[in-house]
Amino acid sequence: NAGVTQTPKFRVLKTGQSMTLLCAQDMNHEYMYWYRQDPGMGLRLIHYSVGEGTTAKGEVPDGYNVSRLKKQNFLLGLESAAPSQTSVYFCASSYSKRGGPIEQFFGPGTRLTVL
Amino acid sequence: QKEVEQDPGPLSVPEGAIVSLNCTYSNSAFQYFMWYRQYSRKGPELLMYTYSSGNKEDGRFTAQVDKSSKYISLFIRDSQPSDSATYLCAMSVTVSNYQLIWGAGTKLIIKP
């Protein structure tokens, strides 16, 4: 199993350009998440999905859109990139189980620089 | 004020030392407490979790929760250079609450 994979690993954009980050998981997890990680800020939730065809806003959703057309894929879009969106983006997935916390499984991250 | 506070470090200790990493929180409704480890340029991975108060031990690692003080700790015994990483705490209210509240992470450096 590959677990959670992210494409691309690195990207440099100019202000105003658009791009899509792809996340794929092969663990049949219901829940998927997009986070950004900035120095001193920890992980901040951008958007999440509780199942195929559903999405919801997290803590910092402005400037981003998401889609979950297939259970295994979660796409994060930047329509008009801004320098403030320079960050490391992590995708994660999780499942629900009785008697224990929801462990989130993370991808390797995408390093995005917006000039 | 953030819901979860964590000293970003870096915390540098010699190999073999006992390490103590801590988080404080403000929401008394948190019941599930997790520690994730993140190596440089990698995604976080779950290290340990505890439910409510008490201790949990796993090899060289011990997680401790003090709900009365709203304080959680992760202890690492006989620290190794391979323990060098950023340690993030995360918390949730219930097991069905899939949204975790994260600390900023503490960078730990174990010197050989």
Side-chain angles (χ1 to χ4, degrees):
Chain A
N1 286 352
V4 180
T5 58
Q6 292 183 232
T7 308
K9 291 185 171 52
F10 305 92
R11 186 73 185 267
V12 179
L13 289 179
K14 294 181 179 178
T15 297
Q17 287 184 319
S18 64
M19 77 163 294
T20 299
L21 282 68
L22 172 62
C23 176
Q25 52 96 2
D26 61 1
M27 297 174 282
N28 201 34
H29 287 172
E30 286 294 330
Y31 307 134
M32 296 187 75
Y33 316 81
W34 275 107
Y35 291 94
R36 59 178 291 172
Q37 187 175 39
D38 302 291
M41 302 291 289
L43 288 165
R44 292 186 290 169
L45 184 64
I46 304 171
H47 286 280
Y48 64 97
S49 168
V50 301
E52 181 179 318
T54 72
T55 63
K57 295 180 180 179
E59 181 186 354
V60 289
D62 294 342
Y64 305 95
N65 57 73
V66 288
S67 65
R68 183 123 181 249
L69 298 179
K70 293 182 179 180
K71 186 177 184 179
Q72 63 268 33
N73 295 338
F74 196 28
L75 278 63
L76 177 71
L78 286 73
E79 289 187 347
S80 179
S84 60
Q85 294 177 304
T86 294
S87 187
V88 181
Y89 291 85
F90 286 102
C91 177
S93 68
S94 68
Y95 60 95
S96 178
K97 68 173 185 176
R98 286 185 177 275
I102 307 299
E103 178 180 359
Q104 296 188 10
F105 295 82
F106 284 81
T110 294
R111 293 182 174 274
L112 175 66
T113 301
V114 182
L115 302 175
Chain B
Q1 184 186 4
K2 292 182 182 178
E3 249 183 313
V4 178
E5 299 278 1
Q6 189 176 8
D7 187 331
L11 176 63
S12 183
V13 301
E15 182 176 356
I18 295 175
V19 175
S20 173
L21 303 166
N22 311 295
C23 289
T24 59
Y25 62 94
S26 57
N27 186 352
S28 58
F30 286 141
Q31 294 194 84
Y32 292 89
F33 304 91
M34 283 144 275
W35 286 96
Y36 279 74
R37 179 175 60 196
Q38 183 178 21
Y39 289 114
S40 180
R41 296 184 174 267
K42 301 288 186 183
E45 55 181 356
L46 182 65
L47 188 61
M48 293 185 71
Y49 75 88
T50 53
Y51 169 69
S52 194
S53 287
N55 292 1
K56 186 173 184 178
E57 189 173 319
D58 184 1
R60 297 185 294 110
F61 298 87
T62 299
Q64 195 171 77
V65 175
D66 183 349
K67 292 194 74 179
S68 62
S69 302
K70 298 192 182 71
Y71 189 88
I72 69 170
S73 300
L74 177 70
F75 298 97
I76 307 174
R77 292 185 300 279
D78 187 25
S79 56
Q80 304 294 311
S82 58
D83 296 327
S84 298
T86 295
Y87 291 79
L88 301 101
C89 61
M91 309 176 187
S92 66
V93 174
T94 68
V95 69
S96 62
N97 184 344
Y98 39 79
Q99 295 186 58
L100 298 178
I101 307 300
W102 295 85
T106 298
K107 184 173 183 178
L108 175 65
I109 301 169
I110 308 297
K111 298 175 294 184

